[in-house]
Amino acid sequence: MNRVTRLAALRRAAATATSLSQTGSLQQAAPFSSSASSHWFSGRFGGNFGSTSPASHYLPSNGVAGTMFFSVAAATSLSQEAHAKEPLQSQIFKEVVLYQYEACPFCNKVKAFLDYYDIPYKVVEVNPISKKEIKWSDYKKVPILTVDGEPMNDSSVIIESLFKRMHPEGSPGSSTNTEDEKKWVGWVNGHLVHVLSPNIYRTAGEALESFDYIASHGNFSFTEKLVAKYAGATAMYFVAKKLKKKYNITDERESLYQSADTWVDALKGQPFLGGSKPNLADLAVFGVLRPIRHLQSGRDMVEHTRIGDWYSRMEKAVGESCRVTA
Ligand SMILES: N[C@@H](CCC(=O)N[C@@H](CS)C(=O)NCC(=O)O)C(=O)O
C-alpha cells in the first residue's frame, strides 16, 4: 500500500469511527442548476444583483460552509487530517484549484473524485452572473480545475486526466476502467443529471427549500438573501418545468426513483459498481446526488428506492471533504 492509499484509508477509517460521514453531504445540501437553467436565471436576474446576485446562491461565504455542522472534536480531527493531507498534495499535485458553483452536479462530481483520492483542493466560487473569477479562461462553464497552474475544463475530462496522471500507463490500476464503468459514467452525464433539477424545484415548497441555503451562506445582505431566496425559487420552479418537458419527463419523482433503482440493479449485488471499492461510475453517481441528498427529493429517493445502503457506503468510502481554505 503506497503512502497515498495509506493516508486515504486512515482518513476514511477515522471518518467512519467518528461518525462524521454525513457532514460531507450536509455541506453539499444546496440548490443547483443545470447549464440551461443557469443561463436562464442569469439572463433574467443578473442585472438586479451585481456581484452578489441571487444566482450566487451557489456561493458559500468561504471554503468552510459545511464545518458549521461539525462538533469541536470533529473539527480537531479534521484539522489533524488537513495536516496529513499536506505531504500528499506536494507529492502528487502541488496546487489544485476548483472553480465551481457550490451546488453544480458536474462540480460535485469532480469534488467526489478529489475527496475520494484524498487530493486537497482550494475552491473558488464563481459568480454565475459576472463570472469574473474565470475571466482569464475562454471556457465559460464550471467546473474548471487548475492543477499546478494548468487549467482543465469539463468534469469528465478533468476526472479522466487526473486519473491518468495518478495511474500512468503500465502502472498498477492504469487499465482498470471497464466498459461497464464507462457505460455508467455516460449514463450519469446523459440521463441522471437531467432528472435532478425537475425534482429539487418540483413544487414551490421544494424550490424554496432548495434556496434555504442562501439564508446561512454567501456574503449577502438581509434584503439580498430574501430576494434571492424568493426570486430564485420562483425562477427555478419554472425552469424545472421547462427541463422536464425538454427531457420528456412525465413524473419527475417516478423518474428519480427509477433512476436510483436502475443504478442499484447495475451493482448486481456488489457493494459498489467497482466491486469491493468504488470506481469512477460510483463516484460520478454519488457526486451528482450529494447536493440533493438532504433535500426533500433526496429524502424521498432514499425512502422509496433501494439506493440508501449504497449511498451510505459511498459516504464512508469518500470520507470528508479535502477542501482546504484558500
Ligand atoms: N459538460 C460539462 C457541463 C458543465 C456545465 O454545464 N456547467 C454549468 C453549471 S452546472 C455551467 O457552467 N453553465 C454555464 C453557466 O452557468 O453560465 C461538464 O461536465 O463539466
Side-chain angles (χ1 to χ4, degrees):
M1 203 191 269
N2 65 24
R3 182 163 191 187
V4 173
T5 321
R6 255 198 332 265
L7 278 172
L10 273 172
R11 184 174 64 78
R12 282 178 208 115
T16 309
T18 52
S19 303
L20 281 171
S21 57
Q22 279 204 335
T23 51
S25 316
L26 287 167
Q27 183 174 343
Q28 309 287 339
F32 73 85
S33 150
S34 69
S35 184
S37 55
S38 172
H39 278 307
W40 187 93
F41 188 80
S42 306
R44 277 157 183 77
F45 293 91
N48 297 332
F49 296 90
S51 61
T52 51
S53 66
S56 306
H57 62 267
Y58 302 108
L59 313 183
S61 53
N62 52 41
V64 291
T67 57
M68 60 190 285
F69 300 105
F70 295 174
S71 66
V72 173
T76 310
S77 90
L78 282 178
S79 73
Q80 283 160 357
E81 264 178 55
H83 286 298
K85 286 170 190 167
E86 290 300 322
L88 179 67
Q89 186 177 18
S90 57
Q91 269 183 358
I92 306 180
F93 309 115
K94 283 196 174 56
E95 189 183 53
V96 176
V97 184
L98 178 67
Y99 295 82
Q100 67 149 23
Y101 301 153
E102 176 64 14
C104 151
F106 305 102
C107 304
N108 276 286
K109 201 148 56 93
V110 173
K111 283 193 280 194
F113 181 92
L114 296 170
D115 292 338
Y116 178 67
Y117 281 105
D118 221 21
I119 301 169
Y121 55 96
K122 292 176 188 163
V123 168
V124 176
E125 207 60 47
V126 174
N127 182 321
I129 310 297
S130 67
K131 297 194 178 170
K132 62 179 175 358
E133 297 80 3
I134 53 169
K135 277 249 152 61
W136 52 269
S137 168
D138 290 337
Y139 183 74
K140 293 301 174 199
K141 291 185 180 182
V142 291
I144 299 174
L145 193 79
T146 61
V147 176
D148 301 337
E150 183 197 328
M152 290 187 267
N153 311 324
D154 191 286
S155 59
S156 302
V157 174
I158 292 168
I159 289 168
E160 198 181 321
S161 165
L162 291 179
F163 187 87
K164 279 190 178 150
R165 289 187 201 197
M166 293 158 62
H167 304 89
E169 204 65 39
S171 71
S174 64
S175 57
T176 53
N177 297 133
T178 62
E179 284 309 311
D180 208 31
E181 181 178 12
K182 285 182 200 151
K183 178 183 118 184
W184 286 101
V185 166
W187 176 80
V188 173
N189 297 329
H191 171 77
L192 187 57
V193 289
H194 302 310
V195 175
L196 303 181
S197 283
N199 272 282
I200 67 169
Y201 305 116
R202 182 179 66 137
T203 63
E206 287 186 76
L208 282 170
E209 182 199 25
S210 299
F211 277 83
D212 271 348
Y213 158 83
I214 198 77
S216 51
H217 297 80
N219 191 18
F220 309 116
S221 70
F222 177 77
T223 315
E224 283 170 332
K225 282 178 180 172
L226 211 66
V227 173
K229 178 168 173 178
Y230 289 95
T234 308
M236 293 312 297
Y237 172 82
F238 289 108
V239 167
K241 302 291 167 242
K242 282 179 89 168
L243 291 173
K244 185 176 162 182
K245 213 167 169 183
K246 178 173 175 187
Y247 293 108
N248 287 324
I249 298 169
T250 42
D251 179 333
E252 53 283 89
R253 274 299 197 272
E254 199 46 46
S255 184
L256 180 65
Y257 298 162
Q258 269 175 18
S259 302
D261 280 332
T262 298
W263 171 247
V264 177
D265 289 341
L267 304 176
K268 298 193 182 110
Q270 304 179 104
F272 304 104
L273 192 86
S276 59
K277 53 187 184 174
N279 66 14
L280 296 182
D282 289 290
L283 289 170
V285 176
F286 179 71
V288 303
L289 291 182
R290 202 152 50 157
I292 79 152
R293 168 62 184 93
H294 295 281
L295 299 177
Q296 184 60 54
S297 48
R299 295 195 297 270
D300 286 351
M301 176 185 73
V302 167
E303 193 183 326
H304 291 97
T305 73
R306 294 168 278 127
I307 203 166
D309 289 346
W310 168 85
Y311 190 91
S312 299
R313 283 193 294 275
M314 282 302 295
E315 280 189 314
K316 290 195 179 96
V318 170
E320 296 305 319
S321 170
C322 285
R323 183 192 289 213
V324 291
T325 43

